[in-house]
Amino acid sequence: QDSPLFSFINSLSPIEPLKSAYSGNGLQAYHQSLNVTSVSSIFTSPHHNAHKESKLSKSSFADYTENELCMEDGTDKNKSPTSSTAVRLFACTSTITRESHTMITCSVNEGIVDPPKGPNDFPQPGRFDSGSPDHNTAPCHGVSVRSDLKQDKCPKLETVQTTNNTVEKRKCLFSSDMQLQDGCQPAKENNEVMGCEWEDLVSVTSGELLAFDSSMDQHHTGVQLAVNNAESCGYLLSKLAGGADISDRTHPATSSQAYYHEMVVGEDKTENGQLFPEDKKTILSEEIQDNINEENACIPLGCKVETQQRGVRRRCLVFEAAGYSHRTVQKESVGDLSFSTCKGKSSAQNHRNPGKTPSPHVFRGIGLHLNALALTSKDKMACQDPLATALVPSLKTEQDVHGNLLSAGGNFVHSGSGLLDLQMDNDDCSVGGFLGNDHNSSQSSSPPKKRRKSDNGDDDSCKRCSCKKSKCLKLYCECFAAGVYCSEPCSCQGCLNKPIHEEIVLSTRKQIEFRNPLAFAPKVIRMSEAGQETQEDPKNTPASARHKRGCNCKKSSCLKKYCECYQGGVGCSNNCRCETCKNTFGTRDVAVSAENEEMKQEGDQTESCEKEKENDQQKANVHSEDHKLVELVVPITPPLDVSSCTMFSSSLLKQPNFSNAKPPRPCKARSGSSSRSSKASETVQSRKISKVGDSVFIEEMPDILREPSSPGIVKTCSPNGKRVSPPHNALSISPNRKGGRKLILKSIPSFPSLAGDTNGGSAICSSDSATALALGPS
DNA sequence: GAGTTTGAAACT
DNA sequence: CAGTTTCAAACTC
Ligand SMILES: [Zn+2]
Ligand SMILES: [Zn+2]
Ligand SMILES: [Zn+2]
Ligand SMILES: [Zn+2]
Ligand SMILES: [Zn+2]
Ligand SMILES: [Zn+2]
């Protein structure tokens, strides 16, 4: 048994020849061995098998073999339900891409994962089934289509490269897994400890997968599966290699995410790098958006999805993120729309798979995965889908788990993917613009339209870095920092942050990450919180977000983009060391703040403060309202300590990751973004604070994702980028504060946890090799 | 677009 | 960990 796995792994790098086809037999057998009856039943479901098989047959075979391997592994370890899923995934994957590697990995993971899940199995299966049947069929087609597309579009050369990449990726994945195993806590343990959580996770995953299926088609499903699988795989691997111990540590979730990322990333890269990119990317993005929108509805994917395999994967990734957005959207609903197209669409479409919808956002967001997951769960919950419901619980759990366990896993993932994604981002950027636009035009109706899309902006908007001495291999470079490769819009000199220098980029990234694990973690953490429950106000809960590391502003009073907090659209937290903080999104020491702030302003700092104040006021004058709001808010601000919250917020972490990836910011607000932001902000305002917070939050995420530019969240709003944007500020501010307070409580901390998670995740993701490093930390 | 300001990143 | 230098973005003009 083990031997097979090992062999499998070994073989991984090259492509393995698995032989068997993954046929149902394997699965069944597997199931039996596993014991998971319930699961088995689910998996067993003929439907799936049939579908899978059919799919598999269609697609690839090599993959299947892999599946077999997986199966075997699984059997060894036990697993079950998942296996079936995994199988599907594989099948899908295979078909979809050559990425079979990834698939393989996944399969492995799946095996592992499944077992633990046992309990969860039920849900999963159910979900699975629900989704799968219909979807499956469709997906298959989709897959085939994609293949065609790829072939057509991609030149042979590209294909070749891709393959190579894939292989490498595979390796990486493995390595990652390995690492994870080593570093990570064992799934088992977790399971035991958190049995519930674990289960939840699993279930969640399943749910997600299902959702994907429905919405996205097979591809998505495949992706999801892969993800799930990946997670499980990690265990397996660890077990196999290291033995149980490893598995114990690792978090399945984490592993999986990481993998997922990688896979996704890998694809993206390939596509991006090789293919082309933009067009496809754009398409993808669009598709994604569409999907997202549709997702809810369940849709479409096939066609759209087909277009780009990549897209699919991304979508998968997005999922998580999507969840986020979704949730928010849903909750907030309309208001959100303004944010991004997505929202609008979602609102329109939402129905079914709300969670998915968001995915597009996520997609851009990059880092969102983790968060997305969490959100997803919520979303799902919110969502009507049965799956969702089922998932919901699990989702939450997942979040917790992630946070707790894995933070690492989740986080890292993004990092790894980051680079890859980055490329995506570029596309995204543009896309981002379009997102709204495209979607709007075509799909949605939406709402808001986002504006113009493109019009404008996009083009310009997407400026990127203009590095001269860093070669774009240091954090000075926004592209690099965001985990993206430099692209056309960049005006950098001596740039090495390009796909062709992938090795260098990854190695450099690892180094930096090694020094500072949080380096690529999302800067801003958000909590979504769900709000749900929280409810303090009826409205919603706010979401809080804060800059992980806090700023150290001295002269900007945190009122300009010089301040990372402000730029990120979040208020300053206790982590900030700013002087004279006037961050419109919330000042530091809020709680204390009211009094303190006043004190400070008038008293101590008067000096600098005064000046600043004056300046601010001046601006304020312009914006006077804003300031006022802010002030008001300030008092409100509660005293939370973020710290406590933060750590915890593992879930947040996830998001951040994505966010981290952020954008290359590039885009300025200019057209699109600005409009967006403004809209968003407006919306927010109108809505109200509590929501506002969320909305803002959402905005941020999306923005980030979407546009690189937005980074600041646009918030900033100011289209020109000039400094202040009063109105916006005001709007945003209010939300923040309100949200901030509440949110803060929850989210704030993200920092550490995120970092940890992120790091780990990123490491893993990022590069295989690099990843390894990452694992350790968390 | 050039030049200044700014605070993070990098370095010591 | 603090202090300094380097850096590129944010901002100004
Ligand atoms: Zn650069
Ligand atoms: Zn660049
Ligand atoms: Zn560059
Ligand atoms: Zn600041
Ligand atoms: Zn700050
Ligand atoms: Zn501040």
Side-chain angles (χ1 to χ4, degrees):
Chain A
Q1 296 173 349
D2 290 359
S3 60
L5 290 180
F6 282 105
S7 62
F8 172 76
I9 294 168
N10 292 340
S11 59
L12 287 181
S13 55
I15 295 176
E16 265 253 9
L18 297 178
K19 331 171 185 162
S20 44
Y22 137 166
S23 51
N25 297 340
L27 293 177
Q28 292 176 349
Y30 190 122
H31 289 294
Q32 293 177 348
S33 60
L34 292 179
N35 293 337
V36 181
T37 10
S38 59
V39 174
S40 61
S41 62
I42 298 168
F43 282 96
T44 4
S45 57
H47 301 289
H48 294 289
N49 291 344
H51 293 288
K52 291 178 180 179
E53 290 178 357
S54 62
K55 291 178 181 179
L56 292 177
S57 61
K58 290 179 181 178
S59 44
S60 28
F61 326 123
D63 292 347
Y64 285 80
T65 47
E66 291 178 355
N67 291 337
E68 291 181 353
L69 292 176
C70 295
M71 297 294 293
E72 292 178 354
D73 293 348
T75 28
D76 292 351
K77 300 186 175 178
N78 297 326
K79 314 276 167 98
S80 19
T82 4
S83 58
S84 55
T85 311
V87 172
R88 290 181 182 176
L89 292 179
F90 283 102
C92 296
T93 318
S94 305
T95 354
I96 296 168
T97 352
R98 25 81 188 282
E99 298 177 33
S100 44
H101 312 297
T102 333
M103 296 302 289
I104 294 170
T105 313
C106 294
S107 61
V108 173
N109 293 336
E110 289 176 354
I112 296 167
V113 174
D114 293 352
K117 294 181 180 179
N120 294 339
D121 294 349
F122 284 100
Q124 291 180 346
R127 294 175 185 176
F128 211 95
D129 291 349
S130 59
S132 58
D134 299 339
H135 299 291
N136 289 344
T137 325
C140 294
H141 295 291
V143 172
S144 59
V145 174
R146 289 180 180 178
S147 302
D148 295 349
L149 293 177
K150 287 182 177 180
Q151 292 176 350
D152 294 350
K153 292 179 180 180
C154 305
K156 293 179 181 179
L157 294 177
E158 291 179 351
T159 311
V160 173
Q161 292 176 348
T162 316
T163 311
N164 292 341
N165 293 343
T166 314
V167 173
E168 292 177 355
K169 290 178 181 178
R170 291 179 181 178
K171 292 179 179 178
C172 294
L173 292 177
F174 277 99
S175 60
S176 301
D177 290 351
M178 297 298 290
Q179 294 176 346
L180 290 176
Q181 292 176 348
D182 294 312
C184 302
Q185 296 176 348
K188 290 180 179 179
E189 291 178 352
N190 292 343
N191 291 343
E192 293 178 355
V193 175
M194 308 187 21
C196 298
E197 291 178 352
W198 175 245
E199 290 178 356
D200 292 345
L201 292 175
V202 174
S203 61
V204 174
T205 312
S206 306
E208 290 177 357
L209 292 174
L210 294 177
F212 282 76
D213 290 344
S214 349
S215 47
M216 309 246 306
D217 291 351
Q218 293 178 344
H219 293 293
H220 295 292
T221 310
V223 174
Q224 291 179 344
L225 291 177
V227 173
N228 292 341
N229 293 340
E231 292 178 353
S232 36
C233 291
Y235 283 115
L236 293 177
L237 292 177
S238 57
K239 289 180 180 179
L240 291 176
D245 295 350
I246 295 169
S247 63
D248 294 350
R249 292 181 181 178
T250 37
H251 301 285
T254 310
S255 313
S256 42
Q257 290 178 348
Y259 284 104
Y260 183 92
H261 274 299
E262 288 181 355
M263 295 184 60
V264 174
V265 173
E267 289 180 356
D268 292 350
K269 287 181 178 179
T270 2
E271 290 181 357
N272 291 345
Q274 296 176 350
L275 303 181
F276 5 178
E278 294 176 353
D279 296 359
K280 289 183 178 180
K281 291 179 180 179
T282 316
I283 293 169
L284 292 175
S285 62
E286 291 178 356
E287 289 180 355
I288 292 169
Q289 292 176 345
D290 292 349
N291 291 339
I292 294 171
N293 293 338
E294 291 178 357
E295 277 184 3
N296 300 335
C298 290
I299 333 184
L301 318 189
C303 304
K304 295 177 180 180
V305 171
E306 293 175 353
T307 323
Q308 305 165 343
Q309 294 175 348
R310 300 169 187 175
V312 173
R313 291 181 181 179
R314 289 180 181 178
R315 290 176 183 175
C316 292
L317 292 178
V318 174
F319 272 125
E320 297 177 354
Y324 247 177
S325 353
H326 241 341
R327 288 193 195 160
T328 352
V329 173
Q330 290 177 344
K331 291 178 181 180
E332 292 178 356
S333 60
V334 181
D336 296 356
L337 295 180
S338 61
F339 290 135
S340 45
T341 18
C342 295
K343 292 179 180 179
K345 291 179 180 180
S346 62
S347 61
Q349 296 178 344
N350 297 336
H351 325 330
R352 298 183 178 180
N353 306 328
K356 294 177 179 180
T357 346
S359 53
H361 293 293
V362 173
F363 158 66
R364 289 184 181 178
I366 299 172
L368 301 184
H369 292 311
L370 297 180
N371 292 338
L373 291 177
L375 293 180
T376 317
S377 59
K378 291 179 180 179
D379 290 350
K380 289 180 180 179
M381 301 211 34
C383 299
Q384 305 164 345
D385 294 3
L387 294 178
T389 51
L391 295 179
V392 175
S394 57
L395 291 179
K396 290 179 179 179
T397 313
E398 284 185 352
Q399 290 178 345
D400 293 350
V401 172
H402 284 295
N404 298 337
L405 300 183
L406 319 192
S407 42
N411 297 337
F412 29 165
V413 174
H414 78 293
S415 61
S417 45
L419 296 178
L420 297 179
D421 290 351
L422 293 182
Q423 291 178 348
M424 299 290 297
D425 285 20
N426 295 343
D427 294 345
D428 291 354
C429 288
S430 51
V431 171
F434 10 29
L435 280 189
N437 298 340
D438 294 351
H439 294 294
N440 293 343
S441 60
S442 59
Q443 293 184 344
S444 47
S445 28
S446 15
K449 332 198 123 253
K450 326 235 64 280
R451 293 224 146 190
R452 337 193 156 180
K453 58 194 24 319
S454 20
D455 49 11
N456 37 29
D458 292 352
D459 302 354
D460 310 326
S461 57
C462 290
K463 297 179 173 167
R464 290 274 208 103
C465 71
S466 58
C467 309
K468 294 180 180 178
K469 294 184 177 180
S470 67
K471 295 180 182 177
C472 297
L473 291 178
K474 292 189 177 181
L475 294 176
Y476 294 131
C477 175
E478 292 190 359
C479 298
F480 180 78
V484 226
Y485 289 113
C486 286
S487 56
E488 297 177 3
C490 295
S491 57
C492 41
Q493 297 176 3
C495 180
L496 295 178
N497 183 29
K498 296 187 177 177
I500 54 177
H501 296 120
E502 181 179 351
E503 294 179 0
I504 296 172
V505 173
L506 293 176
S507 64
T508 303
R509 189 175 162 139
K510 290 179 181 178
Q511 293 178 7
I512 293 173
E513 210 163 33
F514 179 76
R515 282 186 296 187
N516 176 11
L518 296 178
F520 295 94
K523 295 176 181 174
V524 175
I525 298 173
R526 280 192 173 257
M527 234 273 329
S528 61
E529 158 132 1
Q532 359 206 346
E533 319 62 288
T534 65
Q535 39 234 309
E536 304 183 353
D537 294 347
K539 314 187 165 191
N540 314 312
T541 36
S544 66
R546 298 263 122 148
H547 194 275
K548 292 179 181 177
R549 260 189 86 193
C551 62
N552 187 29
C553 306
K554 309 261 173 156
K555 296 181 179 179
S556 68
S557 299
C558 301
L559 289 173
K560 293 186 180 182
K561 282 190 173 180
Y562 292 129
C563 173
E564 291 191 354
C565 298
Y566 180 85
Q567 181 169 47
V570 300
C572 289
S573 65
N574 291 333
N575 293 328
C576 297
R577 291 168 292 176
C578 45
E579 296 177 3
T580 71
C581 178
K582 292 184 178 180
N583 190 322
T584 45
F585 293 99
T587 57
R588 170 169 69 123
D589 304 325
V590 177
V592 178
S593 60
E595 297 177 357
N596 291 348
E597 286 180 354
E598 290 180 357
M599 297 286 295
K600 290 179 181 178
Q601 290 176 348
E602 294 180 358
D604 300 351
Q605 303 172 345
T606 31
E607 297 174 354
S608 61
C609 294
E610 289 177 356
K611 290 180 180 178
E612 291 178 352
K613 287 180 179 179
E614 290 177 356
N615 294 342
D616 293 347
Q617 288 179 352
Q618 292 174 350
K619 290 179 180 178
N621 293 343
V622 178
H623 313 301
S624 59
E625 292 177 355
D626 295 6
H627 289 287
K628 291 179 181 179
L629 293 176
V630 172
E631 291 179 352
L632 293 176
V633 173
V634 172
I636 296 168
T637 51
L640 314 172
D641 285 0
V642 179
S643 58
S644 60
C645 299
T646 42
M647 310 295 289
F648 184 153
S649 56
S650 55
S651 61
L652 294 181
L653 296 181
K654 295 174 182 179
Q655 287 184 346
N657 292 340
F658 290 122
S659 64
N660 288 350
K662 303 180 170 181
R665 350 186 142 249
C667 320
K668 297 186 151 228
R670 291 192 181 177
S671 56
S673 62
S674 65
S675 63
R676 291 180 186 174
S677 61
S678 63
K679 286 183 179 179
S681 62
E682 290 176 359
T683 7
V684 172
Q685 290 179 343
S686 63
R687 292 178 183 174
K688 291 249 188 107
I689 300 170
S690 61
K691 288 185 177 181
V692 174
D694 293 345
S695 62
V696 171
F697 160 4
I698 294 169
E699 289 176 355
E700 290 178 356
M701 294 301 291
D703 289 358
I704 293 170
L705 296 179
R706 295 176 184 175
E707 301 175 351
S709 57
S710 34
I713 295 192
V714 173
K715 356 187 114 266
T716 10
C717 342
S718 53
N720 295 344
K722 294 186 167 190
R723 318 182 148 204
V724 175
S725 36
H728 298 290
N729 292 343
L731 295 177
S732 58
I733 294 168
S734 59
N736 290 341
R737 291 183 178 179
K738 290 181 179 179
R741 293 176 181 176
K742 293 178 181 179
L743 294 178
I744 292 169
L745 294 177
K746 293 177 181 179
S747 59
I748 303 167
S750 55
F751 211 85
S753 59
L754 292 179
D757 293 354
T758 316
N759 293 345
S762 62
I764 295 168
C765 295
S766 56
S767 50
D768 313 357
S769 56
T771 6
L773 295 177
L775 292 178
S778 58

